[in-house]
Amino acid sequence: MPLTDPLDELIHVLVLRADEGFCPEAVVLAQGRLHTPTPWPAGMPRRSIGGKPFRNALRVARASAGSLAYAEGFALRGREVVHHAWCVDVRGTAMDPTWPDGDGLAYVGVTLAGEWVEAVRRRTGTRTAFPGVLDAHTQHTRDADRILTYGIPPTALLPVGTPARELTEPISLSPRNRVREEVERSVGSC
């Protein structure tokens, strides 16, 4: 039976994918937050429609003079779960600069400090075709491994929205963490 609530459906898919370990879904479930979608407000910086959500969200967040932050994670669009980026206000409301109003049914992601996102973007050399910070295929192996194993550095996270972990079972960020947890349980900690 299909799930009827878009947020439940999105969380369900992310939990199934996160079980594979070493993936952005695990990071988002462990550190991400729920963001409630809303129509694009009049008077906000002009949004771009098209296939560049990471660049659009970063550009709009920068242009908002601090009223919006960059968020990256996963969104439910129709029946499809998509790696995506959007903007978030201080109340945890998702405002999508890329998709038309109503396309994004649910959003779960990490809200990030703009300076940190810019530093990652500069270091990875992805100035024009920025694929986001959670894209393991484009990030340098060291950076992707660090983010997917240990998560986003706490200093880069902004506490905006409802923590996703409140709706899910605890998620380990990687198989390494699961193995370490199993060993600690069986032998005890020092």
Side-chain angles (χ1 to χ4, degrees):
M1 178 169 117
L3 299 170
T4 56
D5 180 75
L7 180 57
D8 288 345
E9 188 169 337
L10 177 58
I11 295 289
H12 176 75
V13 170
L14 295 181
V15 168
L16 290 175
R17 289 182 184 174
D19 205 31
E20 299 169 12
F22 273 122
C23 63
E25 291 87 347
V27 173
V28 167
L29 288 171
Q31 294 184 288
R33 293 176 175 261
L34 312 175
H35 301 130
T36 307
T38 192
W40 193 260
M44 289 302 284
R46 188 168 175 203
R47 64 181 177 171
S48 299
I49 302 293
K52 299 182 187 221
F54 309 100
R55 186 174 173 195
N56 288 343
L58 188 57
R59 182 183 55 78
V60 170
R62 272 195 318 245
S64 75
S67 63
L68 297 175
Y70 174 88
E72 182 177 333
F74 295 88
L76 183 65
R77 185 179 198 189
R79 305 279 309 167
E80 183 181 6
V81 174
V82 180
H83 178 213
H84 194 56
W86 55 93
C87 295
V88 178
D89 67 11
V90 295
R91 295 179 312 275
T93 304
M95 290 178 252
D96 197 323
T98 305
W99 292 343
D101 291 340
D103 273 18
L105 304 175
Y107 295 82
V108 178
V110 287
T111 308
L112 302 167
E115 310 82 45
W116 187 79
V117 176
E118 287 291 347
V120 169
R121 190 174 82 125
R122 278 192 306 275
R123 194 165 75 222
T124 59
T126 54
R127 296 193 79 120
T128 57
F130 181 57
V133 299
L134 295 174
D135 183 84
H137 302 293
T138 306
Q139 302 301 349
H140 295 288
T141 304
R142 182 189 73 207
D143 291 333
D145 185 49
R146 192 176 300 137
I147 289 170
L148 298 180
T149 301
Y150 303 108
I152 304 289
T155 56
L157 293 168
L158 301 176
V160 180
T162 304
R165 67 182 169 270
E166 291 180 4
L167 301 179
T168 63
E169 295 289 321
I171 301 290
S172 294
L173 293 179
S174 73
R176 288 185 206 162
N177 288 346
R178 282 186 227 158
V179 169
R180 184 171 60 232
E181 289 168 5
E182 287 300 318
V183 169
E184 288 174 358
R185 262 196 295 273
S186 64
V187 299
S189 57
C190 298

